[in-house]
Amino acid sequence: MLYIEKSQEPAELTQAKLDGLSRYEDLSGESKKAVQQALLREQGAVCAYCMKRVSIGNLQIEHYIAQNPEDSDYDAALTIDYNNMLGVCTGNKFGTGARERLTCDQHRGNAKLTVDPRNEASVAKIKYKTDGTIYSDDADIQRDLDVILNLNCSAAHLKENRRSAMDALKRDMLKNFPGKQVTKAYLEKRLAFFRDAPVKTEFAGVLIWYLNRQLMRS
């Protein structure tokens, strides 16, 4: 998972509200497309939860506080609050059938989350194992990752993809520093790239975590 710094809502959404938009169900056309494009830009074109590549053709608009949360009443204002919106993938929903094969918001439903990609301190509590497993020492966040969002789902190959991304970075390190200590300058340069690139590398969160860990050891 990556930290997402929310930006100002798109002008088209603001105008739609001025024109009477009061609930998400009525968001459509150019206003909805503008929201999708804004989410793509601020997230670097990766899913807010699993970090798979998303595009304007497959991005789903997710509400961090669910439209119909399990523990409270429907709040129409929150459904059109841009700060409450995230861009997510299709959650492995096409042709999968069983719920255990779904991920991200498709698996989440309306369950409440503790982990918050809009909160940097929350994202900092996420870790990864060498096999690509995503986890946290915080029990509530661990439940979010494993049970609610299903981010270690074998059917979606998320663990394998995160491990492959990490292995590719390790190979690049070995290529540039065969038998040598990797320099702090290299680690910082790669970290800046994965963190700041306008279009993020798929599964960049595991790479950022790994590079930060290496910097702490250097």
Side-chain angles (χ1 to χ4, degrees), residues 55-107:
S55 67
I56 197 67
N58 65 8
L59 178 135
Q60 312 290 305
I61 298 175
E62 155 79 334
H63 292 80
Y64 179 74
I65 299 175
Q67 294 188 66
N68 296 287
E70 294 178 343
D71 60 352
S72 62
D73 295 329
Y74 173 79
D75 185 343
L78 269 178
T79 70
I80 54 171
D81 181 350
Y82 182 71
N83 190 58
N84 190 40
M85 296 180 186
L86 300 169
V88 297
C89 68
T90 55
N92 205 35
K93 70 179 179 180
F94 295 110
T96 61
R99 183 174 179 272
E100 61 266 21
R101 297 171 65 88
L102 300 176
T103 68
C104 304
D105 73 310
Q106 292 296 318
H107 191 272

Side-chain angles (χ1 to χ4, degrees), residues 1 36 39 51-53 64 72 76 79 85 89 97 99 106 113 159 174 182-183 217:
M1 196 172 292
Q36 291 175 308
L39 293 172
M51 302 178 291
K52 286 174 62 176
R53 175 71 63 229
Y64 179 74
S72 62
T79 70
M85 296 180 186
C89 68
R99 183 174 179 272
Q106 292 296 318
L113 291 171
K159 285 174 59 175
L174 286 172
V182 178
T183 65
R217 295 175 174 177

